Amino acid sequence: MKRDDVILVRGGGDLATGTIHRLWSAGLKVLVLEAEHPAAIRRQVSVSEAVYEGGAVVEGMCAALVKTLDEAVVVWHRGDVPVMVDPKGELIPQVRPAALVDAILAKKNLGTTRDMAPLTIALGPGFTAGVDVDLVVETKRGHRLGRIIREGAAIPNTGVPGVIGGYGAERVIHAEKAGVFRNVCAIGDLVSAGETIAEIETPDGIRTPVTTRIAGILRGLLRDGYPVTPGFKVADVDPRREELENCFLISDKARCIAGSVLELIAANLWK
């Protein structure tokens, strides 16, 4: 493959998908590398769902799970985005991408190095621009969201979600114990404060309810059957009950970050 052909994105969650969609919309050839068992909760806007379903559609962009680079070429020819399971990035030397974007959003570097591509970009904390990647894009909501960092790192993870509709930590739900996650509700459901949206089934067969803290729209929900540990993020409630469509649209945050990534790739590859 030619180096100038492929933009490789590590990660296919909702923020990563915002970047993938923007690059795809600009006519670029994108390849997504994902984990074997992605844990996105905003599944309606995450191409990582292709790992489970074989394909995913987000705002008109079709993603397809492939097993080989030859299959990826077929997907590109029809104008879609191939997704491959390769959490360690073992295929990167074969792909020889023109640019690599680490969009795993793990709050730490899971193995991306600056020599993986002529241009390496990382989203969020856990990376140092000019050291392990060329550039970093800020992902924390606020005045610095989307800013390009050429030296240093993004704002460290605070563990506190950004405020939406007046709520921050209250809108995000985490597992209280280990077990298997079992859905009761679905993404897009209107929920009340204290409502059971899911259950966690422990090895002894006991099911513990997972409840909401605020009323609103269930914007994100972990896949049914996913194994969780205490503190694992499992759901997201949007208090703006009138904005149901948001469950199925790329977020403003994701689009802001995506614009910065496209800016960097355009500036570096189309000089």
Side-chain angles (χ1 to χ4, degrees):
M1 290 187 177
K2 298 179 182 178
R3 272 193 185 273
D4 59 0
D5 271 351
V6 182
I7 309 299
L8 192 147
V9 179
R10 301 190 73 185
D14 65 301
L15 291 183
T17 299
T19 289
I20 294 161
H21 192 279
R22 181 64 62 88
L23 298 175
W24 169 82
S25 297
L28 295 170
K29 188 183 295 183
V30 185
L31 173 64
V32 181
L33 301 186
E34 249 298 355
E36 295 176 348
H37 305 287
I41 63 168
R42 291 208 64 214
R43 293 180 286 112
Q44 299 290 344
V45 288
S46 298
V47 298
S48 59
E49 281 296 281
V51 173
Y52 298 106
E53 304 293 340
V57 180
V58 179
E59 293 195 31
M61 177 184 71
C62 296
L65 181 66
V66 300
K67 294 182 179 180
T68 67
L69 292 178
D70 286 340
E71 291 180 3
V73 171
V74 173
V75 173
W76 284 322
H77 281 168
R78 65 176 187 243
D80 297 338
V81 176
V83 178
M84 300 185 74
V85 174
D86 183 15
K88 295 182 180 180
E90 295 173 346
L91 285 168
I92 294 173
Q94 297 179 51
V95 177
R96 302 179 71 244
L100 181 147
V101 181
D102 188 311
I104 300 173
L105 278 298
K107 311 298 189 295
K108 59 182 179 181
N109 189 342
L110 296 181
T112 293
T113 57
R114 200 174 178 183
D115 60 359
M116 286 179 167
L119 174 66
T120 53
I121 304 165
L123 308 186
F127 303 86
T128 301
V131 179
D132 47 356
V133 292
D134 295 309
L135 301 148
V136 174
V137 177
E138 182 60 65
T139 58
K140 181 176 174 57
R141 284 188 183 274
H143 193 66
R144 297 185 62 83
L145 176 64
R147 288 186 180 268
I148 295 166
I149 301 166
R150 302 180 186 278
E151 292 183 4
I155 298 170
N157 180 37
T158 62
V160 179
V163 175
I164 293 179
Y167 294 96
E170 304 95 331
R171 65 182 179 81
V172 180
I173 303 168
H174 299 85
E176 294 184 357
K177 58 177 57 180
V180 178
F181 195 72
R182 302 296 185 189
N183 290 345
V184 172
C185 293
I187 293 174
D189 284 354
L190 294 175
V191 296
S192 303
E195 183 172 343
T196 296
I197 59 169
E199 297 175 332
I200 296 176
E201 183 178 2
T202 57
D204 55 9
I206 296 175
R207 292 196 174 199
T208 301
V210 176
T211 59
T212 57
R213 296 171 65 182
I214 62 172
I217 300 167
L218 192 56
R219 188 175 73 152
L221 186 68
L222 190 65
R223 262 187 100 80
D224 184 76
Y226 201 95
V228 297
T229 53
F232 201 92
K233 185 177 178 181
V234 297
D236 177 6
V237 177
D238 189 332
R240 301 167 296 181
R241 296 173 69 94
E242 71 281 2
E243 299 195 29
L244 175 62
E245 190 179 18
N246 287 349
C247 297
F248 311 99
L249 295 175
I250 294 168
S251 69
D252 53 348
K253 177 178 179 178
R255 289 194 175 280
C256 178
I257 295 166
S260 297
V261 175
L262 179 59
E263 173 187 331
L264 289 170
I265 290 175
N268 282 270
L269 301 185
W270 300 334
K271 292 180 181 177

